[in-house]
Amino acid sequence: MQVCPACGAEAPDDAKACAACGARLRENTASFEPVAVVPGAAGDLGVEAADVPVLIVRKGPDAGERFYLDRERLTIGRNPASDIFLNDVTVSRSHAVIEVGPAGVTIEDVGSLNGTYVGDIRVDKATLRHGDLVQIGRFQLLFLEGGGV
């Protein structure tokens, strides 16, 4: 069995696409020994630590893409002019806004059609915590605090 790199679901070795999320599966070409991870470090989540907060696409189109939250205010949407451009019809043109400040990182839905979710809860505005999963349309994003917050 192989594991989908986008959603983590198991798939038969001969499968070309994941039955759970539709992501293209990669063929195994080599094996390796995993690097030891310090418990409690960002590495536990399969990513290295960043100096600033970051959103990582865990599921959906462009899985693995990272968005560094290196400004006080960032827009999220399907509009190509958005700071965080999520190109899918399930995302509103102007979907949400992220604000980064001394008190932490907040996300606010700005009247999107499909809503913004933190965990499994639809939110108008929420403070993000390390490890939170943010759902915007078909995109599931992992929030990591980084060293700057």
Side-chain angles (χ1 to χ4, degrees):
M1 292 294 255
Q2 58 182 324
V3 176
C4 174
C7 72
E10 290 187 358
D13 288 332
D14 61 343
K16 301 285 185 202
C18 177
C21 73
R24 185 174 177 194
L25 299 173
R26 298 182 195 123
E27 295 181 27
N28 293 332
T29 58
S31 62
F32 63 92
E33 289 296 318
V35 176
V37 175
V38 177
D44 287 343
L45 301 170
V47 297
E48 69 275 0
D51 290 336
V52 297
V54 64
L55 286 173
I56 302 171
V57 179
R58 296 285 293 209
K59 292 183 183 177
D62 304 322
E65 186 168 359
R66 295 164 187 243
F67 299 102
Y68 293 94
L69 311 179
D70 55 358
R71 286 178 272 160
E72 289 181 13
R73 187 174 194 276
L74 296 106
T75 58
I76 302 173
R78 189 167 35 98
N79 183 340
S82 297
D83 298 310
I84 298 175
F85 174 52
L86 300 177
N87 190 15
D88 190 80
V89 295
T90 60
V91 177
S92 296
R93 290 183 194 280
S94 177
H95 199 103
V97 171
I98 291 201
E99 293 185 351
V100 180
V105 178
T106 60
I107 188 165
E108 182 175 1
D109 188 275
V110 291
S112 69
L113 182 61
N114 291 325
T116 300
Y117 294 80
V118 176
D120 292 328
I121 301 170
R122 187 172 180 161
V123 298
D124 291 326
K125 187 171 186 175
T127 299
L128 297 177
R129 295 188 183 122
H130 187 75
D132 276 348
L133 292 176
V134 176
Q135 187 80 35
I136 295 178
R138 291 178 41 213
F139 292 85
Q140 183 184 74
L141 306 140
L142 172 67
F143 172 74
L144 299 177
E145 285 181 341
V149 173

